Amino acid sequence: MIKAGIIGATGYAGAELVRILMGHPSVEIKWYGSRSYIDKKYADVYRNMFEIVEDTCLDDNIEELAKQVDVIFTATPQGFLGSVLNEKILSETKVIDLSADYRIKDVATYEKWYKIEHKSPQFIEEAVYGLCEINREKVKNARLVANPGCYTTCSILTAYPLVKEGLIDANTLIVDAKSGTSGAGRGAKVNNLFCEVNENMKAYGVATHRHTPEIEEQLGYAAGKEITISFTPHLVPMNRGILATEYASLVKKADGSYPTKEEIRAAYEKYYKNEKFVRVLEDGVCPETKWVEGSNYVDVNFVVDERTGRVIMMGALDNLVKGAAGQAVQNMNLLFGLKESEGLELVPMFP
Amino acid sequence: MIKAGIIGATGYAGAELVRILMGHPSVEIKWYGSRSYIDKKYADVYRNMFEIVEDTCLDDNIEELAKQVDVIFTATPQGFLGSVLNEKILSETKVIDLSADYRIKDVATYEKWYKIEHKSPQFIEEAVYGLCEINREKVKNARLVANPGCYTTCSILTAYPLVKEGLIDANTLIVDAKSGTSGAGRGAKVNNLFCEVNENMKAYGVATHRHTPEIEEQLGYAAGKEITISFTPHLVPMNRGILATEYASLVKKADGSYPTKEEIRAAYEKYYKNEKFVRVLEDGVCPETKWVEGSNYVDVNFVVDERTGRVIMMGALDNLVKGAAGQAVQNMNLLFGLKESEGLELVPMFP
Amino acid sequence: MIKAGIIGATGYAGAELVRILMGHPSVEIKWYGSRSYIDKKYADVYRNMFEIVEDTCLDDNIEELAKQVDVIFTATPQGFLGSVLNEKILSETKVIDLSADYRIKDVATYEKWYKIEHKSPQFIEEAVYGLCEINREKVKNARLVANPGCYTTCSILTAYPLVKEGLIDANTLIVDAKSGTSGAGRGAKVNNLFCEVNENMKAYGVATHRHTPEIEEQLGYAAGKEITISFTPHLVPMNRGILATEYASLVKKADGSYPTKEEIRAAYEKYYKNEKFVRVLEDGVCPETKWVEGSNYVDVNFVVDERTGRVIMMGALDNLVKGAAGQAVQNMNLLFGLKESEGLELVPMFP
Amino acid sequence: MIKAGIIGATGYAGAELVRILMGHPSVEIKWYGSRSYIDKKYADVYRNMFEIVEDTCLDDNIEELAKQVDVIFTATPQGFLGSVLNEKILSETKVIDLSADYRIKDVATYEKWYKIEHKSPQFIEEAVYGLCEINREKVKNARLVANPGCYTTCSILTAYPLVKEGLIDANTLIVDAKSGTSGAGRGAKVNNLFCEVNENMKAYGVATHRHTPEIEEQLGYAAGKEITISFTPHLVPMNRGILATEYASLVKKADGSYPTKEEIRAAYEKYYKNEKFVRVLEDGVCPETKWVEGSNYVDVNFVVDERTGRVIMMGALDNLVKGAAGQAVQNMNLLFGLKESEGLELVPMFP
């Protein structure tokens, strides 16, 4: 059995990690770290776990934890892992970071968008960006995995094949993303109260959201050049789910015509045909967040709009699963040579 | 592998059966019966099943189906199974009926509350009421299992120990139950439209709901006499979950005092200490439907109110799991000598 | 124009007072008191009021306020008004208290249920309990009105005619009440976050909720004796609305028969026929919270259940309107000799 | 008093018209037309109207109706008014059409997008597009007003000043719109059931939604040329509200720089400073649908993104008020020389 420790086990992403790992046949959780709930029974913080998890919350002493487990998941605020990581930890255990600390290769970009000084930039280079469908081979040999953000996973996977194949002009990409409220975390804020979110919808972080440079970096690799995109997140009155609606101008072919629907579809099939967790929907079917809820799937599809010369791409995932904990487990499976889908064959729950 | 067929596979309860059986290691579904969607791909009706279920919906020919499978689940409207069941079917296969046709022993009571003529009352006697925690041994040898209703499972299990131990006067029992909207089914009715249910709450079927005689019959067995109760269902703007709040007068002891909190708790422990799927919560913790969502658990607890001489009992379950499909699978496990919890170790999903 | 001041203008009840008074032709708000937001523009706290309210939040200096206005509304936590009220204030202005400080006549009962020492019990006797439909005449001449609680308004008005007419045994009364989340206030608590409330339902404060003695006192006056009842509140995933489902044993008539449906209805008609804000629904129609949303109506109805000898009564209101701010304005209208419904002819909003 | 008749009074838009007109001091409704509920009491179809509306639903005989009233509102499916309108009706009464039949000037465009043959195209030319803020003067003298669509009102008003002033390239405009479910109407469809919409989000009608040519036509007038845009509607789990997030490339000035934030704001102020129902929010505040719920306001704002050379515009309105019935009443006020805001000073309801 792989021994796992979680730092930040009482946030929503941490709790989802617990839920998924409870059903994973090859892992046992040895450490439920929670700065806020030290010495409290985990099941008193998440009562769904009553009679399932008997453990008590521990602190976030990552050095001590590193000695005891094979893998550490850090589901912590930005800056935490950056401020405590060291070579000794990485020599003793694998680390999968669900925060943004090691996602962005350029430390200046990180510090500009996150407004935090990076305390251990020396590990950025070796960190592997854990978007399994794209970086699978690199993840297998990593010591430190930067688990992608929820919006970014959805945004990138939805557009990746078309960027990679040069079918769209990546600099025209506009990502309009909508997220359930669990993405805002479990902190007690007026803005996230039921009465403020229910029957309401809004954009936030317009032109300034921190997932923007992460999308730009990864899609830039696919495009083979630096790109600049627009990304707008929105808050939706539901618990889980992200829907990304993405717009881009099609690149005309040599004969002046636009790529056809069939050519676009072929690009998606090329990259995702063998990907268990990316489902390219049938023609005419728009992704819905409910159809992937509780599962590790991303559903994607597209519409070619010849009137405007644009393609509209759509992707849906569960922000706590493929957007966070599920992808972290997928990365863990790769790190330990397990079947990539082990413990992740979760059937979406409907309704 | 046990071969299973489902008639009514495209209702919400049928779809939940599919979800659960997909994760069951000893079962394969051979027949997705759906009168409404014959010849349509199942995954086109429930797109969460895209790339998971490849089958096409078949008809509801139960005689043909009986020849092919080891167990038939009927997740059908009231009256369907009653109108088609025969000895030959029962000699070929096990039948687990999620409708009410074989729940009530007295056919006149059934016909009065359901306003349907029972077409095959000859099987009522042998049918076993499949509330596993109470009828476990009988279920094991049954040919025909009457899977309990969603409200009834919650209502009965919440009060059962106190009725059985004579701690409450069963005729004073009042069950005020609240249900998510999936209990109303997938039929296209104005009353169940999003805009009619959202931001709304109401009682319905007051003093006339069909689950009333079922609760009375089962708790009457526990009480050792016929009883009459009040049952009021309510519609709540959520997808899943039933919460039952139950009120009853405590029976005074010989010395004129009421049973203590400790005595009440001891009664719950007596019946549920070893029941995996019934969780008696810690003192002071009220059950919440969200803590059991997606799982086969029933959470129960109580408050003794000395001011009024009453005990307030509370129970919560997921109406589609323990209230329907999960309990049906639990019954199937018993019928086939499997571990009772096989395929049912679903961790509740939160949030 | 009547000059009004609000202390606690930035809670949900205070904000609803602002909304209603904005449409009241005879009132102008001169003081938006808010301890939390002093010197902040009111419309920055409630952006629905942008370009409607230009004022800035002031403090809660009630002595200064009393000099400037004709009526003060205190939409404040329990204990505030009790700790600051004095004779001088009451000699200068009318006070309508939306908190519980002056609702309960017996100070010991108040202190026991609220766990607060009452600092100015000398005003309890003169305070008038402002349930307009019952205490209309007394309100007209009051200096200090104790505006009823949200649950209590609904619970009392739903049962009042039957208690008053002796048709039910008031000591058998069980009130199972369900409330939208705005009743929990705008404080930043984890329990009230969207993800904790959405898709969830629970009871709370079982057998200990503070509205219990208020209901008992008022219905006790109607019964002509002290009574003890059961009251259980529940939290529902919606913004607004309270639904009370109430159970009581019918009192048999001299001939041993139960009161008929017609006799029960006659009792409701007797008290409510001329009440604009209490709508006795037609036979067979259950109240729904959505049908009164945003309005000052209470919808009530009942079902006689001869099987159990009980009547099930149901009432629905908007907790922020008839359950708080609307009723406060109704009281204000009475205090100042205006038409009782002035500014309150709000048509319920559906959907 | 102006006598009004409504055809289609039992759809959600029709019901909202009734709600608003109930509070309008200068109008009385004489005809509640409803093909589906003829001879049924209106308050039995919408129980919020119990004891408020005593009338019974009538048929949709517009010729008879035209003789009796001063104004007819048609809140009917596409094609209805087109198939019945004639000169006699228009000579007897004013007509405000909430359907799309007279919104689009080019009949071929209408027939292509709506897939309906237009039966009375002879009235298209004289019909006035009733977006009051833009066509106020023309509306005043109209016989036939084409009330704009919900998405279109929001989409157009959000972008109008920047298109009109030439600050953005209108052909780069992308409108990503999100709507509450009341926009889908009260028809009984599986897709609109509570359990299908709740906890779910999706795009629909991608690149084919019928509001697209309406936006293109109106913004084309502002741009002074034909334009082509992208419009994508989404379904959100809430009852009311539309949020439009709009993206467009800024037009560089002669010196190669982009328009500044101040210049953009000045354009909004130029057109909306004196518009009561359009609120240009303060810098940094994103519109939220809840802040306008139940009111006739449109809240708009924008963010200039120099990184991408784009401006992100946002607009929010209540689809049933400013997006349908409220705007219809605003048009009616103009038609009859009333104060434009009469009966429309509805304060948004929060929460």
Side-chain angles (χ1 to χ4, degrees):
Chain A
M1 294 291 273
I2 296 165
K3 295 191 192 77
I6 303 171
I7 299 186
T10 55
Y12 286 144
E16 187 71 355
L17 254 178
V18 174
R19 179 177 82 94
I20 293 173
L21 292 178
M22 282 293 117
H24 195 296
S26 307
V27 182
E28 57 183 339
I29 304 176
K30 307 300 279 187
W31 187 291
Y32 294 82
S34 170
R35 194 176 286 184
S36 310
Y37 295 102
I38 295 176
D39 292 338
K40 190 157 185 174
K41 282 188 64 178
Y42 189 78
D44 286 350
V45 184
Y46 283 97
R47 293 192 187 279
N48 53 327
M49 292 302 175
F50 185 60
E51 298 187 355
I52 300 173
V53 175
E54 300 292 345
D55 300 70
T56 295
C57 295
L58 301 173
D59 63 23
D60 55 6
N61 185 338
I62 192 170
E63 299 209 6
E64 178 56 32
L65 171 55
K67 296 177 195 158
Q68 301 185 16
V69 298
D70 304 306
V71 61
I72 295 173
F73 296 94
T74 46
T76 43
Q78 323 306 338
F80 171 81
L81 187 62
S83 69
V84 298
L85 191 63
N86 59 42
E87 180 60 33
K88 185 155 178 297
I89 292 167
L90 287 178
S91 70
E92 292 173 330
T93 189
K94 305 274 189 182
V95 177
I96 299 173
D97 181 26
L98 282 76
S99 88
D101 287 2
Y102 294 95
R103 290 180 195 155
I104 292 174
K105 290 299 174 198
D106 180 46
V107 68
T109 301
Y110 172 88
E111 294 186 340
K112 177 182 149 203
W113 287 80
Y114 283 87
K115 299 181 170 60
I116 293 175
E117 185 192 349
H118 204 302
K119 295 293 179 49
S120 53
Q122 69 272 26
F123 300 110
I124 294 179
E125 194 182 334
E126 80 156 290
V128 175
Y129 188 74
L131 192 51
C132 311
E133 284 73 15
I134 293 176
N135 279 349
R136 182 171 288 123
E137 293 311 313
K138 286 188 192 156
V139 170
K140 289 179 181 171
N141 303 305
R143 298 194 301 175
L144 171 59
V145 175
N147 205 59
C150 52
Y151 280 124
T152 44
T153 298
C154 193
S155 302
I156 294 168
L157 290 175
T158 299
Y160 180 79
L162 305 197
V163 174
K164 185 77 178 173
E165 294 295 300
L167 293 164
I168 57 176
D169 174 358
N171 281 305
T172 65
L173 186 66
I174 289 170
V175 178
D176 189 284
K178 300 89 177 169
S179 174
T181 304
S182 59
R186 212 190 191 194
K189 294 178 188 164
V190 168
N191 278 353
N192 295 333
L193 290 176
F194 181 84
C195 288
E196 309 283 320
V197 173
N198 187 41
E199 279 290 293
N200 198 4
M201 186 155 184
K202 65 173 174 185
Y204 65 97
V206 180
T208 61
H209 194 277
R210 296 158 167 193
H211 285 182
T212 311
E214 190 181 332
I215 301 169
E216 289 178 343
E217 179 174 326
Q218 296 300 323
L219 287 182
Y221 296 148
K225 62 178 180 189
E226 288 199 7
I227 65 168
T228 309
I229 66 153
S230 288
F231 171 71
T232 311
H234 297 76
L235 193 68
V236 184
M238 56 187 191
N239 287 356
R240 289 171 179 244
I242 286 177
L243 181 72
T245 313
E246 311 192 11
Y247 304 83
S249 296
L250 290 162
V251 173
K252 282 188 182 166
K253 293 188 287 191
D255 67 359
S257 69
Y258 288 121
T260 64
K261 185 162 79 171
E262 290 69 28
E263 290 167 315
I264 301 285
R265 180 161 292 274
Y268 278 104
E269 292 296 339
K270 175 175 174 185
Y271 291 92
Y272 296 146
K273 192 173 46 186
N274 297 317
E275 290 296 340
K276 181 181 179 66
F277 294 124
V278 184
R279 304 192 294 193
V280 183
L281 302 184
E282 290 168 359
D283 186 36
V285 179
C286 292
E288 306 188 21
T289 60
K290 189 71 184 163
W291 298 124
V292 296
E293 190 173 357
S295 82
N296 202 47
Y297 292 108
V298 188
D299 282 1
V300 298
N301 213 344
F302 67 94
V303 171
V304 172
D305 184 10
E306 292 182 9
R307 290 177 66 249
T308 59
R310 296 190 189 108
V311 61
I312 298 98
M313 300 156 277
M314 295 161 280
L317 53 68
D318 183 323
N319 56 304
L320 293 178
V321 189
K322 183 62 178 173
Q327 183 146 261
V329 172
Q330 195 178 352
N331 277 309
M332 182 200 72
N333 288 342
L334 289 171
L335 283 177
F336 289 90
L338 305 175
K339 186 179 164 197
E340 191 173 327
S341 63
E342 190 173 328
L344 289 171
E345 309 212 350
L346 307 156
V347 178
M349 195 166 88
F350 186 91
Chain B
M1 293 293 273
I2 296 164
K3 296 193 191 78
I6 303 171
I7 299 186
T10 54
Y12 287 145
E16 187 71 355
L17 254 177
V18 175
R19 180 178 81 95
I20 293 173
L21 291 177
M22 283 292 118
H24 195 295
S26 307
V27 181
E28 55 184 339
I29 304 176
K30 307 299 280 187
W31 188 291
Y32 295 81
S34 170
R35 194 175 289 185
S36 311
Y37 295 102
I38 294 176
D39 292 337
K40 190 157 186 175
K41 281 189 64 179
Y42 188 78
D44 286 349
V45 185
Y46 283 97
R47 293 192 187 278
N48 53 326
M49 292 301 175
F50 183 60
E51 297 187 357
I52 300 173
V53 175
E54 300 292 347
D55 300 70
T56 294
C57 295
L58 302 173
D59 63 22
D60 55 5
N61 184 339
I62 193 169
E63 299 210 5
E64 177 56 31
L65 171 55
K67 296 177 197 156
Q68 302 185 16
V69 298
D70 304 305
V71 61
I72 295 173
F73 296 93
T74 45
T76 42
Q78 322 306 338
F80 171 80
L81 187 63
S83 68
V84 298
L85 191 62
N86 59 43
E87 180 59 33
K88 183 153 179 298
I89 292 168
L90 286 178
S91 70
E92 293 173 329
T93 189
K94 305 275 189 182
V95 177
I96 300 174
D97 181 26
L98 281 76
S99 88
D101 287 1
Y102 294 96
R103 291 180 193 154
I104 293 173
K105 289 298 174 199
D106 181 46
V107 69
T109 301
Y110 172 88
E111 294 185 341
K112 176 181 151 206
W113 287 79
Y114 283 86
K115 299 180 170 59
I116 294 175
E117 185 192 351
H118 204 302
K119 296 290 178 54
S120 54
Q122 67 274 26
F123 299 111
I124 294 180
E125 194 182 335
E126 81 156 291
V128 175
Y129 188 74
L131 192 51
C132 310
E133 284 72 14
I134 293 175
N135 279 348
R136 181 171 289 123
E137 293 311 314
K138 286 187 194 156
V139 169
K140 289 179 181 171
N141 303 304
R143 298 194 301 176
L144 172 59
V145 175
N147 205 58
C150 52
Y151 281 124
T152 44
T153 298
C154 194
S155 301
I156 294 168
L157 289 175
T158 299
Y160 180 78
L162 305 196
V163 173
K164 185 77 176 173
E165 294 294 301
L167 293 165
I168 56 175
D169 175 359
N171 280 305
T172 65
L173 186 66
I174 288 170
V175 178
D176 189 284
K178 299 91 177 168
S179 176
T181 305
S182 60
R186 212 190 192 194
K189 295 178 187 165
V190 168
N191 278 353
N192 296 332
L193 290 177
F194 182 84
C195 288
E196 309 284 318
V197 172
N198 186 42
E199 277 292 293
N200 197 5
M201 187 157 182
K202 66 173 174 185
Y204 66 97
V206 180
T208 61
H209 194 276
R210 296 159 166 192
H211 284 181
T212 311
E214 190 181 332
I215 301 169
E216 289 178 343
E217 179 174 326
Q218 296 299 324
L219 287 182
Y221 296 148
K225 62 178 181 191
E226 288 198 6
I227 66 168
T228 309
I229 67 151
S230 288
F231 171 72
T232 310
H234 297 76
L235 193 67
V236 184
M238 56 187 192
N239 286 357
R240 289 170 179 244
I242 286 178
L243 181 72
T245 313
E246 311 192 12
Y247 304 83
S249 295
L250 290 162
V251 173
K252 282 187 182 166
K253 293 188 287 192
D255 66 359
S257 69
Y258 287 121
T260 63
K261 185 163 79 172
E262 290 70 26
E263 289 168 316
I264 301 286
R265 181 160 290 274
Y268 278 105
E269 292 295 341
K270 175 175 174 183
Y271 291 92
Y272 296 146
K273 192 173 47 188
N274 297 317
E275 288 298 340
K276 180 180 181 65
F277 293 124
V278 184
R279 303 192 295 192
V280 183
L281 302 185
E282 291 169 358
D283 186 37
V285 179
C286 292
E288 306 188 22
T289 60
K290 189 70 184 164
W291 299 123
V292 296
E293 190 171 356
S295 82
N296 202 46
Y297 292 107
V298 188
D299 283 0
V300 298
N301 212 345
F302 67 93
V303 171
V304 172
D305 184 11
E306 290 182 11
R307 291 176 65 248
T308 58
R310 295 190 189 108
V311 61
I312 298 98
M313 299 156 279
M314 294 161 281
L317 54 67
D318 184 321
N319 55 303
L320 293 179
V321 190
K322 184 62 179 171
Q327 185 147 257
V329 172
Q330 195 178 352
N331 277 310
M332 183 200 73
N333 288 342
L334 288 171
L335 283 176
F336 289 89
L338 304 176
K339 186 179 166 198
E340 191 172 327
S341 62
E342 190 172 327
L344 289 171
E345 308 212 351
L346 308 157
V347 178
M349 196 166 87
F350 185 91
Chain C
M1 294 291 274
I2 296 165
K3 295 191 192 77
I6 302 172
I7 299 186
T10 55
Y12 286 144
E16 187 71 354
L17 254 177
V18 173
R19 180 178 81 95
I20 294 173
L21 292 177
M22 283 294 116
H24 195 296
S26 307
V27 181
E28 57 184 338
I29 304 176
K30 307 298 279 188
W31 187 291
Y32 295 81
S34 170
R35 194 177 287 184
S36 310
Y37 295 102
I38 295 176
D39 292 337
K40 189 157 185 173
K41 282 188 63 178
Y42 189 79
D44 286 349
V45 185
Y46 283 97
R47 293 193 187 278
N48 53 326
M49 293 301 175
F50 184 60
E51 297 186 357
I52 301 173
V53 175
E54 301 292 345
D55 300 72
T56 295
C57 294
L58 302 173
D59 63 23
D60 55 5
N61 185 339
I62 192 170
E63 300 210 5
E64 177 55 32
L65 172 55
K67 296 177 195 157
Q68 302 185 16
V69 298
D70 303 306
V71 60
I72 295 173
F73 296 93
T74 47
T76 43
Q78 322 307 336
F80 171 81
L81 187 62
S83 70
V84 300
L85 191 63
N86 58 43
E87 180 59 33
K88 185 156 178 298
I89 292 168
L90 287 178
S91 70
E92 292 173 330
T93 188
K94 305 274 189 183
V95 177
I96 299 173
D97 181 25
L98 281 76
S99 88
D101 288 1
Y102 294 96
R103 291 180 193 156
I104 293 173
K105 289 299 174 198
D106 180 46
V107 70
T109 299
Y110 172 88
E111 294 185 341
K112 177 180 149 205
W113 287 80
Y114 283 86
K115 300 182 171 59
I116 293 174
E117 186 193 349
H118 203 302
K119 296 292 178 50
S120 54
Q122 68 272 25
F123 300 110
I124 294 179
E125 195 183 333
E126 80 157 291
V128 174
Y129 188 75
L131 191 53
C132 311
E133 284 73 14
I134 293 176
N135 279 349
R136 180 171 288 123
E137 293 310 314
K138 286 187 192 154
V139 169
K140 289 179 181 171
N141 302 303
R143 299 195 300 175
L144 171 59
V145 174
N147 205 58
C150 51
Y151 281 125
T152 44
T153 298
C154 193
S155 302
I156 294 167
L157 290 175
T158 299
Y160 180 78
L162 305 197
V163 173
K164 185 78 177 174
E165 295 294 300
L167 292 165
I168 57 175
D169 174 358
N171 280 304
T172 65
L173 185 67
I174 288 170
V175 177
D176 189 283
K178 299 90 177 167
S179 175
T181 304
S182 59
R186 213 189 191 195
K189 294 178 188 164
V190 168
N191 278 353
N192 296 333
L193 290 177
F194 182 83
C195 287
E196 310 283 320
V197 173
N198 186 41
E199 279 291 293
N200 198 6
M201 186 156 182
K202 66 173 174 186
Y204 65 98
V206 180
T208 62
H209 194 277
R210 295 158 166 190
H211 284 181
T212 311
E214 190 180 331
I215 301 169
E216 289 179 344
E217 180 174 326
Q218 295 299 323
L219 288 182
Y221 297 148
K225 63 179 180 188
E226 287 198 6
I227 66 167
T228 309
I229 67 152
S230 288
F231 171 72
T232 310
H234 297 76
L235 193 68
V236 184
M238 56 186 192
N239 286 357
R240 290 169 179 244
I242 286 177
L243 181 73
T245 313
E246 311 193 12
Y247 304 85
S249 295
L250 291 162
V251 173
K252 282 188 180 166
K253 294 188 285 191
D255 65 0
S257 69
Y258 288 121
T260 63
K261 184 162 80 172
E262 290 70 26
E263 289 167 316
I264 301 285
R265 180 161 291 274
Y268 278 104
E269 292 296 339
K270 175 174 174 185
Y271 291 92
Y272 296 145
K273 192 173 45 188
N274 298 317
E275 289 297 341
K276 180 180 180 67
F277 293 125
V278 184
R279 304 192 294 194
V280 183
L281 302 185
E282 290 168 0
D283 186 37
V285 179
C286 292
E288 306 188 21
T289 60
K290 189 71 185 165
W291 298 123
V292 296
E293 191 172 356
S295 83
N296 202 46
Y297 291 107
V298 189
D299 281 1
V300 298
N301 213 344
F302 67 93
V303 172
V304 172
D305 184 11
E306 291 182 10
R307 290 176 66 248
T308 59
R310 295 190 189 107
V311 62
I312 297 98
M313 300 155 278
M314 293 159 282
L317 53 68
D318 183 323
N319 56 303
L320 293 178
V321 189
K322 183 61 179 172
Q327 185 147 258
V329 172
Q330 195 178 351
N331 277 309
M332 183 201 72
N333 288 342
L334 289 171
L335 283 175
F336 289 88
L338 304 176
K339 186 179 166 197
E340 190 173 327
S341 63
E342 189 173 329
L344 289 171
E345 310 212 350
L346 307 156
V347 178
M349 195 166 89
F350 186 92
Chain D
M1 293 292 274
I2 296 165
K3 295 192 192 78
I6 303 172
I7 299 186
T10 56
Y12 286 144
E16 187 71 354
L17 255 177
V18 175
R19 179 179 82 94
I20 294 172
L21 292 178
M22 282 293 116
H24 195 295
S26 307
V27 181
E28 56 183 339
I29 305 176
K30 307 299 279 186
W31 187 292
Y32 294 81
S34 170
R35 194 175 288 185
S36 311
Y37 295 102
I38 295 175
D39 292 338
K40 190 157 186 173
K41 282 188 63 178
Y42 189 78
D44 286 349
V45 185
Y46 284 96
R47 294 193 186 279
N48 54 325
M49 292 301 176
F50 184 60
E51 297 187 356
I52 300 173
V53 175
E54 301 292 345
D55 300 70
T56 294
C57 295
L58 302 173
D59 63 23
D60 54 7
N61 184 338
I62 193 170
E63 300 210 5
E64 177 55 32
L65 171 55
K67 297 177 196 155
Q68 302 185 15
V69 298
D70 304 304
V71 61
I72 295 173
F73 296 94
T74 46
T76 43
Q78 322 307 339
F80 171 81
L81 187 63
S83 68
V84 299
L85 191 63
N86 58 42
E87 180 60 32
K88 184 153 179 296
I89 292 168
L90 286 177
S91 70
E92 292 173 330
T93 188
K94 305 274 189 181
V95 177
I96 300 174
D97 181 26
L98 282 75
S99 88
D101 287 2
Y102 294 96
R103 291 180 193 154
I104 294 174
K105 289 297 173 200
D106 180 45
V107 70
T109 301
Y110 172 88
E111 294 186 340
K112 176 181 151 206
W113 287 80
Y114 284 88
K115 299 180 171 59
I116 294 175
E117 185 193 351
H118 203 303
K119 297 290 179 51
S120 53
Q122 68 273 25
F123 300 111
I124 293 179
E125 195 182 334
E126 81 157 289
V128 175
Y129 188 74
L131 191 53
C132 310
E133 283 74 14
I134 292 176
N135 279 349
R136 182 171 288 122
E137 293 311 314
K138 287 188 193 155
V139 170
K140 289 179 181 172
N141 302 305
R143 297 195 300 175
L144 171 59
V145 175
N147 206 58
C150 52
Y151 281 124
T152 44
T153 299
C154 193
S155 302
I156 294 168
L157 289 176
T158 299
Y160 180 79
L162 305 197
V163 173
K164 185 77 177 171
E165 294 295 301
L167 293 165
I168 57 175
D169 174 358
N171 280 306
T172 65
L173 186 66
I174 289 170
V175 178
D176 189 283
K178 300 90 178 168
S179 175
T181 305
S182 59
R186 211 189 192 195
K189 295 178 187 164
V190 168
N191 278 353
N192 296 332
L193 290 177
F194 182 83
C195 288
E196 309 283 319
V197 173
N198 187 41
E199 279 291 292
N200 199 4
M201 186 155 183
K202 66 173 174 185
Y204 66 97
V206 180
T208 61
H209 194 277
R210 296 159 167 192
H211 284 182
T212 310
E214 189 179 333
I215 301 169
E216 289 178 343
E217 179 174 327
Q218 295 299 323
L219 288 182
Y221 296 148
K225 62 178 180 190
E226 288 199 7
I227 66 168
T228 310
I229 66 152
S230 289
F231 171 72
T232 311
H234 297 76
L235 193 67
V236 184
M238 56 187 192
N239 286 356
R240 289 170 180 245
I242 285 178
L243 180 72
T245 313
E246 312 192 11
Y247 304 84
S249 296
L250 290 162
V251 173
K252 282 188 180 164
K253 294 187 285 192
D255 65 0
S257 68
Y258 288 120
T260 63
K261 184 162 79 172
E262 291 69 27
E263 289 167 316
I264 301 285
R265 181 161 292 274
Y268 279 104
E269 292 296 339
K270 175 175 174 184
Y271 291 92
Y272 296 147
K273 192 172 47 187
N274 297 316
E275 288 297 339
K276 180 181 181 66
F277 293 124
V278 184
R279 304 192 295 193
V280 183
L281 302 186
E282 291 169 359
D283 186 37
V285 179
C286 292
E288 306 188 21
T289 60
K290 189 71 185 162
W291 298 123
V292 296
E293 190 172 355
S295 83
N296 201 46
Y297 292 108
V298 188
D299 282 2
V300 298
N301 212 344
F302 67 93
V303 171
V304 171
D305 184 11
E306 292 182 9
R307 290 178 66 250
T308 58
R310 295 191 188 108
V311 62
I312 298 99
M313 299 156 278
M314 295 160 281
L317 53 66
D318 183 323
N319 56 303
L320 294 178
V321 189
K322 183 62 178 171
Q327 185 146 258
V329 172
Q330 194 178 352
N331 277 311
M332 182 200 73
N333 288 342
L334 289 171
L335 283 177
F336 289 89
L338 304 177
K339 185 179 165 198
E340 190 173 327
S341 62
E342 189 173 327
L344 289 172
E345 310 212 350
L346 307 157
V347 178
M349 195 166 88
F350 186 92

